[in-house]
C-alpha cells in the first residue's frame, strides 16, 4: 500500500494562508475565522533545539545525536510551493519540486536531469502512480498529462471536455486517474464542479459525477483504497465514492479539520479533527476508534509509514499510533522540552523519523528516534524564508525544500 495517500487540490487553503501570514500579511487581514491560528503561532519562541553544526559526516552518514548534518548538496530551484506534502517528491533517482519550469534533480549529485516549461501548475499536487507522474497542465489548456519521472518524457494525456475548466488530478490507482474540475457556464463563469475518473491507459472518461452545489474544487485532499475513493474539502465534508461507478457511498460532516492530509489504512479513514483523531469505516462511515489530545491542544496532519501513524499536536507532543486500533505506541515530549516547532509532514529512513515544520523559527527538519520519539537534531538553513519546509526521501537521502533552496541530507 502506498504511503503517500493524500493529495491536495486548489491554489490556496487556510493552512497556506497561515503560512503566507509569516511572510508579512497581518493576522488582522486574515480575519477571526481562521481556526487553529493561535495554536500554530504558539509553537514558536526561543528554545534549545540544536542548530546545524559545521562538521560534515566522513562517510556520508548522519552524525551522532545533537549534531545536524551538513547538506550533501544544495541547489537553487524554480520551486513555487504552498507547503502541501505532495509538492516535493523523490522517485526514480530524482527529486522534483513543484514550480515553473518543473525541474528534476539527480538525487545523488543535485545536477538537473530534465526541465519542463509549463509542466505543472504551482501548488498543484505531483501525483505519482503506475510509474507515472501525473500533472495538471501548466499551459491551462484543460488537459492532464503523465510523464516518466526519471526522464520527463510524456507518456499519457487526457482531456475531460471543453465544458470543464482546470481539471486537476487528486488521486490515482492501478486503473484510473481521479480529477476535479470546474463546470463552465455559458458566460464562462463557474458555480459547480465535477469529480471524474480517467482511464490511465486510454485517457478516456470512465465516469463523471457533479458534486453538490456549494462544494468547492479547492482544498480537496483525496486517497484511493480498493473500491473506495475518499476525499475531504473546505466545507467540512468527508466523502466516499465507489471507484467503479463514481456513485457516492456515504458522506458526513466533520466537526473540525486540519485542512490537510488524512490517512487511509486497510478499511479505515483516519482524520484529525481538532482535539480528536478519529477513524471511520470506509464501508459506512461508522466511527471505529478515537484518540484525544490534551485539553486546548489540536492534532496536526498525520502520516502513515510502515503501518505506523505519526502525528504531532499543537502542544508539541509527537505521537506514534497503531492505525488499526488507535493504540498508542509511544508519546514523546522531546520537542516540547527543546522548544522546537511542530512538524506536520514525516518521512522515515533506517529507523530515523524526519519531520518538516510550517514555521521557520526553531523549526526546519527535525530528526527523531523512530522507536522512542527522542529528538536527535534539527536542520535549518537559517535563511529566514517564510515558506514551510517540505521533506521527501529516496531511502538513501532526505531532501528538504525551503522556499527555493533544495537540500540533500544524509540519511
Amino acid at each position: 500500500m502506498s504511503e503517500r495517500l493524500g493529495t491536495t487540490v486548489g491554489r490556496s487553503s487556510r493552512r497556506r494562508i497561515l503560512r503566507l501570514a509569516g511572510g508579512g500579511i497581518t493576522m488582522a487581514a486574515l480575519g477571526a475565522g481562521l481556526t487553529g491560528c493561535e495554536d500554530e503561532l504558539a509553537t514558536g519562541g526561543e528554545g534549545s533545539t540544536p542548530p546545524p553544526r559545521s562538521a560534515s559526516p566522513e562517510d556520508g552518514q548522519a552524525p551522532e545525536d545533537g549534531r545536524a548534518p551538513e547538506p550533501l548538496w544544495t541547489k537553487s530551484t524554480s520551486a513555487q510551493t504552498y507547503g502541501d506534502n505532495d509538492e516535493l517528491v523523490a522517485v526514480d533517482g530524482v527529486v522534483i519540486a513543484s514550480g515553473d519550469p518543473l525541474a528534476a534533480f539527480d538525487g545523488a549529485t543535485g545536477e538537473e536531469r530534465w526541465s519542463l516549461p509549463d509542466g505543472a501548475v504551482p501548488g498543484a499536487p505531483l501525483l505519482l502512480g503506475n510509474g507515472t507522474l501525473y500533472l495538471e497542465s501548466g499551459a491551462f489548456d484543460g488537459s492532464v498529462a503523465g510523464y516518466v519521472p526519471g526522464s520527463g518524457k510524456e507518456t499519457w494525456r487526457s482531456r475531460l471536455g471543453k465544458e470543464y475548466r482546470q481539471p486537476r488530478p487528486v488521486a490515482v490507482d492501478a486503473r484510473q486517474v481521479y480529477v476535479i474540475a470546474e463546470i463552465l457556464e455559458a458566460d464562462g463563469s463557474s458555480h459547480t464542479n465535477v469529480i471524474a475518473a480517467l482511464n490511465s491507459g486510454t485517457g478516456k472518461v470512465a465516469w463523471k459525477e457533479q458534486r453538490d452545489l456549494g462544494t468547492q474544487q479547492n482544498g480537496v485532499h483525496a486517497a484511493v483504497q480498493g473500491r473506495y475513493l475518499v476525499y475531504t474539502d473546505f466545507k467540512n465534508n468527508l466523502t466516499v465514492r465507489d471507484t467503479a461507478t463514481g456513485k457516492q457511498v456515504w458522506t458526513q460532516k466533520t466537526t473540525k479539520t486540519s485542512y490537510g492530509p488524512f490517512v487511509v489504512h486497510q478499511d479505515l479513514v483516519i482524520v484529525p479533527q481538532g482535539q480528536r483523531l478519529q477513524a471511520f469505516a470506509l464501508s459506512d462511515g461508522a466511527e471505529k476508534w478515537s484518540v484525544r489530545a490534551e485539553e486546548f491542544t489540536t492534532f496536526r496532519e498525520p502520516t502513515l509509514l510502515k503501518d505506523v501513524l505519526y502525528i504531532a499536536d499543537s502542544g508539541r507532543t509527537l505521537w506514534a499510533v497503531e492505525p488499526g486500533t488507535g493504540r498508542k505506541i509511544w508519546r514523546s515530549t522531546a520537542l516540547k522540552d527543546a522548544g522546537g516547532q511542530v512538524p506536520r509532514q514525516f518521512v522515515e529512513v533506517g529507523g530515523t523519523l524526519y519531520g518538516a515544520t510550517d514555521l521557520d523559527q526553531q523549526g526546519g527538519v527535525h530528526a527523531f528516534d523512530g522507536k522512542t520519539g527522542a529528538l536527535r537534531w534539527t536542520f535549518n538553513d537559517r535563511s529566514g524564508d517564510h515558506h514551510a519546509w517540505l521533506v521527501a526521501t529516496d531511502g538513501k537521502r532526505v531532501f528538504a525544500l525551503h522556499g527555493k533552496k533544495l537540500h540533500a541530507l544524509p540519511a
Side-chain angles (χ1 to χ4, degrees):
M1 182 178 66
S2 171
E3 294 173 352
R4 297 185 66 257
L5 290 170
T7 62
T8 310
V9 173
R11 296 297 299 274
S12 62
S13 71
R14 292 190 180 192
R15 184 155 55 89
R16 286 171 174 168
I17 292 171
L18 288 172
R19 293 190 182 111
L20 292 176
I25 301 176
T26 65
M27 295 309 296
L30 296 177
L34 297 180
T35 61
C37 175
E38 292 180 357
D39 289 334
E40 294 216 12
L41 294 180
T43 61
E46 296 302 319
S48 57
T49 307
R53 304 296 179 87
S54 58
S56 297
E58 294 294 331
D59 56 358
Q61 299 300 308
E64 64 270 20
D65 288 2
R67 298 179 61 191
E70 284 290 305
L72 300 170
W73 53 260
T74 296
K75 291 287 182 179
S76 294
T77 73
S78 59
Q80 295 173 274
T81 63
Y82 294 89
D84 277 308
N85 298 1
D86 43 31
E87 295 175 305
L88 178 71
V89 297
V91 61
D92 289 354
V94 298
V95 55
I96 308 169
S98 180
D100 186 16
L102 187 69
F105 297 90
D106 187 284
T109 66
E111 296 301 314
E112 185 177 297
R113 291 262 291 267
W114 55 263
S115 179
L116 190 65
D118 297 328
V121 176
L126 305 177
L127 187 62
L128 294 170
N130 308 317
T132 302
L133 174 66
Y134 294 100
L135 304 171
E136 176 188 359
S137 173
F140 297 99
D141 58 1
S143 67
V144 178
Y147 301 87
V148 177
S151 67
K153 179 183 177 182
E154 182 179 319
T155 58
W156 180 89
R157 187 171 288 269
S158 178
R159 285 178 172 82
L160 188 58
K162 293 183 178 180
E163 65 271 34
Y164 305 101
R165 180 170 57 196
Q166 293 183 291
R168 180 165 293 187
V170 297
V172 61
D173 61 19
R175 297 177 296 108
Q176 296 175 153
V177 180
Y178 303 91
V179 302
I180 288 183
E182 299 175 349
I183 301 175
L184 287 174
E185 304 293 336
D187 61 359
S189 64
S190 177
H191 309 290
T192 53
N193 61 90
V194 66
I195 187 165
L198 307 174
N199 186 288
S200 57
T202 66
K204 293 182 179 179
V205 179
W207 53 258
K208 52 188 176 183
E209 292 286 330
Q210 182 171 331
R211 298 177 68 212
D212 293 342
L213 187 66
T215 58
Q216 301 176 3
Q217 68 274 15
N218 292 332
V220 172
H221 287 76
V224 184
Q225 178 75 326
R227 56 171 290 215
Y228 300 112
L229 170 65
V230 192
Y231 57 92
T232 58
D233 61 30
F234 273 175
K235 296 292 185 178
N236 290 3
N237 297 305
L238 173 61
T239 303
V240 175
R241 290 182 181 271
D242 189 296
T243 56
T245 65
K247 299 301 181 184
Q248 186 170 287
V249 179
W250 58 266
T251 187
Q252 65 183 37
K253 287 291 184 181
T254 55
T255 55
K256 291 183 179 180
T257 74
S258 65
Y259 302 100
F262 55 86
V263 159
V264 172
H265 174 73
Q266 296 179 358
D267 59 349
L268 299 175
V269 53
I270 305 168
V271 184
Q273 299 191 74
Q275 192 181 355
R276 298 178 71 194
L277 181 66
Q278 291 178 281
F280 302 96
L282 284 172
S283 59
D284 58 10
E287 183 178 313
K288 293 300 183 180
W289 58 257
S290 176
V291 173
R292 186 178 294 272
E294 292 183 359
E295 192 175 7
F296 308 121
T297 61
T298 57
F299 281 113
R300 297 309 190 214
E301 300 93 325
T303 302
L304 183 66
L305 301 170
K306 298 180 179 178
D307 291 331
V308 177
L309 186 150
Y310 298 100
I311 191 168
D313 63 39
S314 60
R316 291 182 276 189
T317 297
L318 183 61
W319 303 64
V321 176
E322 216 174 61
T325 64
R327 183 184 70 85
K328 180 180 65 180
I329 300 173
W330 52 255
R331 182 173 173 269
S332 171
T333 61
L335 193 63
K336 181 178 181 180
D337 298 338
Q341 290 284 2
V342 176
R344 26 71 51 192
Q345 180 196 11
F346 300 95
V347 296
E348 188 271 338
V349 187
T352 299
L353 183 67
Y354 301 88
T357 69
D358 267 352
L359 302 178
D360 188 54
Q361 185 182 14
Q362 297 304 117
V365 176
H366 301 305
F368 303 93
D369 186 309
K371 293 182 178 180
T372 65
L375 180 63
R376 290 178 170 172
W377 48 259
T378 297
F379 172 80
N380 193 304
D381 57 14
R382 303 305 178 197
S383 68
D385 192 293
H386 68 271
H387 285 85
W389 287 80
L390 296 175
V391 288
T393 184
D394 59 3
K396 300 177 181 178
R397 293 158 289 264
V398 173
F399 303 103
L401 180 68
H402 189 212
K404 294 186 178 296
K405 294 293 185 181
L406 178 63
H407 310 279
L409 305 176

